[in-house]
Amino acid sequence: MCAAESHADKIHAGKILVLDFGSQYTQLIARRIRESQVYSEIHPCDAPISFIRDFKPKGIILSGSPASVYDNKPPYCPPEILDLGVPILGICYGMQWITHQLDGRVSKSARREYGRAELVIDDATDLLNGVGDALTAQGSRPETVVWMSHGDRIDRMPPGFDVLAHTANSPIAAMRNEKRRLYAIQFHPEVAHTPQGLAILKNFLYRICGCAPTWTMKAYLERAVEQIRERVGDVDVICAMSGGVDSAVAAILTHRAIGDQLTCIFVDNGLLRNQEAERVTETFRKLFKLNLRYVDASKNFLKKLKGVTDPERKRRIIGRQFIQVFEEQAKNMGRPEFLVQGTLYPDVIESVSFKGPSATIKTHHNVGGLPTRMRFKLVEPLRELFKDEVRRLGEEMGLPEEILWRHPFPGPGLAVRIIGEVTRKRLDLLREADDIVEQEIRKADLYPQIWQAFAVLLPIKTVGVMGDERTYEHVMAIRAVHSQDGMTADWVKLPHEVLERISNRIVNEVRGINRVVYDVSSKPPSTIEWE
Ligand code: XMP
């Protein structure tokens, strides 16, 4: 057995399999388990039983689902999982599936139960041990708040089960078959609205499945370094750095493993934020002694974008141009064999997702588009990690907070925040305004709570008055959103004083702007970027 495998065994020891019935919270379940320092993977609910056996889980969690067991074709698991002798926790639909499968009765409840509920704990010996944080009004039973979201409910438990907890609307809100090690709950322990949810999951992991806390970023780091060394040997490796957190962490990790065998390429496409190129090159060259090539390709990008106003054409041109620059660089390095990619676990899950493919809303450009054309072998050291884990790994390696917590920035950069043609002059205007937005959001201590905050330059001119003069200048829009993953988003209710400062500074400091508007649309139906 090689060294990397022995580490792998250690940190993956006691792993949990999450079978996905299509719930919007499935990723959250896996993240909570990992927060508890236990490794977990998500797979579609209909994964073959042979795969599940080979996976050797210490425990299995069945997710929720928008479906009902009475649907025409309800999502299902191989029923043999119930006889593996491995502890199972069914959540919401997972509970209903177990009940249906084992001859209990599921029925439509008279009222949909959605939101907060008081869970009264009837048996606190294992799954619900120590989670009651108050006593019921009668003072007889412990209770805790949980978050429900279900239409169907359990009317009759399957034989051999007993009740662990109930709520006003769900007489069987948690149940157990101790002999068969089957557990099920109607509420969602994975969401923040269930304050004791993590404690309940930990009970399942530690008390019931016998897992140990082996999944830490320190252990992950040691193992990843060994694995990269083994995979790469003594050949050269190349990495496209964008300055974003994923490519930065992937590069630093690879650098730890193979030092100067790694060359990073940072392409300045002229579409970056204020001082971005300087900041990135400074940090990675000085702080981490990374072999970093800075390529100023801005002239070329802007030439290709001349006269282009269609958002999808802009995206395609930028993507193509990026590959061309990268190919040229790789060629004059003597064609390195490996490419480092910052692929994350959610991208991996997406490709085996239980849900069908969705329509293309925007052609995303990121460095992920490179290998198909260039036939590199890949080093993907973050393939097992969620974004929050990537940040923790970055912290472990001493990456500055400024890089780890920087707001996401799209591959096509400021080009998709200039509505209409991209010119150097417009880029300068936008960059200045964008910088003001960031400064003011930081001054108000709001930066870490916000997913993204930025400016968008609109192609219209409006009339204004400055001094006693009439002006006829451009409009700048401000966008700030809260989001978990960029898939959905809500606009941020920024304090009026912050908006006022941003607006004042932009019209006073950015020549050519005489009006500022605030974008109050959520996603859906809007998207986060304007193009
Ligand atoms: P939208 O505009 O689709 O954006 O709501 C969702 C999130 O994705 C970012 N974004 C991109 N990221 N390449 C990227 O790497 C792209 O082409 C791209 N387009 C949008 C956007 O900033 C937001 O965080």
Side-chain angles (χ1 to χ4, degrees):
M1 186 192 285
C2 64
E5 272 171 0
S6 67
H7 264 299
D9 289 345
K10 213 165 71 192
I11 65 169
H12 289 128
K15 59 191 172 183
I16 298 290
L17 175 63
V18 179
L19 291 176
D20 178 25
F21 283 115
S23 160
Q24 56 176 322
Y25 302 123
T26 306
Q27 286 199 22
L28 214 44
I29 300 174
R31 275 167 55 192
R32 295 281 173 264
I33 299 170
R34 290 177 180 208
E35 267 171 53
S36 315
Q37 302 187 339
V38 174
Y39 181 67
S40 69
E41 278 185 25
I42 299 173
H43 289 273
C45 56
D46 55 359
I49 188 69
S50 54
F51 166 82
I52 297 173
R53 276 206 187 93
D54 292 348
F55 188 87
K56 296 199 176 63
K58 270 274 217 188
I60 298 175
I61 294 189
L62 307 179
S63 83
S65 172
S68 157
V69 288
Y70 292 117
D71 284 353
N72 192 12
K73 280 192 183 155
Y76 65 95
C77 279
E80 297 92 324
I81 60 165
L82 298 169
D83 298 313
L84 290 176
V86 172
I88 294 181
L89 174 65
I91 296 177
C92 200
Y93 179 89
M95 177 188 211
Q96 291 150 16
W97 181 82
I98 293 175
T99 305
H100 194 58
Q101 203 61 39
L102 295 178
D103 295 327
R105 196 170 63 224
V106 179
S107 69
K108 293 250 170 267
S109 45
R111 268 196 292 154
R112 247 184 89 76
E113 199 177 6
Y114 186 85
R116 184 191 151 97
E118 306 287 342
L119 184 83
V120 181
I121 297 167
D122 302 305
D123 179 329
T125 46
D126 46 17
L127 187 67
L128 302 178
N129 189 275
V131 299
D133 32 25
L135 287 182
T136 51
Q138 295 78 24
S140 54
R141 298 270 163 84
E143 65 175 10
T144 185
V145 169
V146 295
W147 199 79
M148 294 276 194
S149 169
H150 63 111
D152 296 354
R153 71 171 199 190
I154 312 303
D155 254 5
R156 193 186 66 225
M157 288 183 289
F161 276 77
D162 39 39
V163 182
L164 298 181
H166 66 274
T167 67
N169 273 319
S170 300
I172 307 160
M175 64 181 195
R176 164 191 66 193
N177 182 328
E178 201 170 0
K179 210 159 128 217
R180 295 181 72 176
R181 307 174 84 193
L182 303 177
Y183 293 77
I185 50 184
Q186 188 60 81
F187 53 91
H188 289 269
E190 68 276 23
V191 302
H193 302 295
T194 299
Q196 294 284 0
L198 193 61
I200 295 171
L201 286 173
K202 281 184 176 168
N203 278 341
F204 180 68
L205 302 174
Y206 297 135
R207 281 175 183 271
I208 297 168
C209 302
C211 296
T214 51
W215 178 254
T216 63
M217 284 307 108
K218 188 168 183 295
Y220 183 89
L221 173 62
E222 287 168 17
R223 167 178 158 273
V225 164
E226 284 173 10
Q227 279 188 331
I228 295 169
R229 280 186 192 141
E230 259 169 41
R231 175 151 171 77
V232 167
D234 57 4
V235 305
D236 285 340
V237 178
I238 195 168
C239 173
M241 283 260 292
S242 64
V245 60
D246 305 340
S247 68
V249 174
I252 299 299
L253 180 55
T254 310
H255 184 251
R256 276 234 177 164
I258 58 168
D260 278 349
Q261 274 167 258
L262 173 72
T263 303
C264 293
I265 294 177
F266 180 82
V267 179
D268 185 346
N269 54 14
L271 309 167
L272 303 172
R273 289 169 285 190
N274 195 32
Q275 300 270 306
E276 186 145 29
E278 294 85 342
R279 265 199 291 222
V280 170
T281 42
E282 173 96 348
T283 307
F284 292 101
R285 274 192 190 141
K286 290 229 170 101
L287 205 59
F288 289 96
K289 310 267 179 281
L290 220 69
N291 194 353
L292 181 75
R293 278 195 197 188
Y294 168 80
V295 186
D296 182 1
S298 52
K299 258 197 202 135
N300 246 335
F301 275 81
L302 292 191
K303 208 166 94 193
K304 291 280 192 284
L305 285 169
K306 198 167 167 22
V308 179
T309 55
D310 177 68
E312 276 299 288
R313 253 194 89 204
K314 281 185 193 172
R315 284 175 172 270
R316 280 194 301 273
I317 290 170
I318 295 164
R320 228 181 294 136
Q321 197 58 24
F322 184 82
I323 291 177
Q324 209 177 54
V325 174
F326 198 77
E327 261 176 341
E328 276 164 24
Q329 293 295 319
K331 219 185 287 166
N332 65 36
M333 276 177 61
R335 283 247 172 242
E337 270 182 50
F338 284 92
L339 173 76
V340 179
Q341 283 224 289
T343 316
L344 302 193
Y345 188 50
D347 308 326
V348 178
I349 307 171
E350 199 52 39
S351 59
V352 293
S353 165
F354 181 66
K355 299 168 199 129
S358 52
T360 302
I361 309 293
K362 298 177 185 182
T363 313
H364 270 219
H365 152 66
N366 46 33
V367 290
L370 286 172
T372 32
R373 179 157 148 187
M374 297 179 68
R375 292 202 195 88
F376 279 114
K377 288 189 241 166
L378 294 182
V379 178
E380 294 179 299
L382 312 180
R383 247 183 106 78
E384 283 190 326
L385 304 186
F386 286 110
K387 190 92 172 180
D388 45 337
E389 293 175 316
V390 172
R391 291 200 165 111
R392 272 192 279 126
L393 179 61
E395 268 166 15
E396 190 71 41
M397 296 188 295
L399 254 90
E401 276 199 4
E402 188 191 297
I403 288 191
L404 290 178
W405 294 99
R406 195 93 212 258
H407 287 171
F409 188 60
L414 298 181
V416 291
R417 295 179 181 171
I418 291 176
I419 314 307
E421 190 186 358
V422 179
T423 62
R424 220 173 257 279
K425 190 157 167 260
R426 290 180 171 186
L427 279 164
D428 288 341
L429 280 185
L430 179 58
R431 214 173 267 128
E432 260 186 86
D434 189 67
D435 199 36
I436 292 173
V437 175
E438 183 173 330
Q439 284 175 21
E440 292 303 325
I441 298 271
R442 280 189 191 276
K443 263 193 234 157
D445 279 338
L446 294 169
Y447 191 86
Q449 302 155 37
I450 291 176
W451 173 263
Q452 271 170 306
F454 54 86
V456 179
L457 180 62
L458 306 191
I460 48 166
K461 283 183 159 184
T462 67
V463 174
V465 52
M466 273 189 199
D468 287 329
E469 299 278 318
R470 175 189 192 269
T471 60
Y472 186 55
E473 293 176 333
H474 281 286
V475 180
M476 194 66 79
I478 308 301
R479 179 105 167 112
V481 294
H482 286 307
S483 174
Q484 292 285 331
D485 50 15
M487 303 296 287
T488 57
D490 198 6
W491 61 280
V492 179
K493 281 71 186 174
L494 282 179
H496 286 174
E497 312 79 70
V498 176
L499 284 170
E500 186 181 22
R501 273 198 299 275
I502 290 175
S503 161
N504 266 341
R505 282 194 59 193
I506 291 178
V507 289
N508 282 308
E509 294 173 33
V510 185
R511 277 280 167 89
I513 304 296
N514 68 356
R515 192 177 295 271
V516 174
V517 294
Y518 190 50
D519 182 348
V520 290
S521 355
S522 57
K523 172 184 180 174
S526 303
T527 52
I528 295 177
E529 304 292 345
W530 277 42
E531 289 197 332

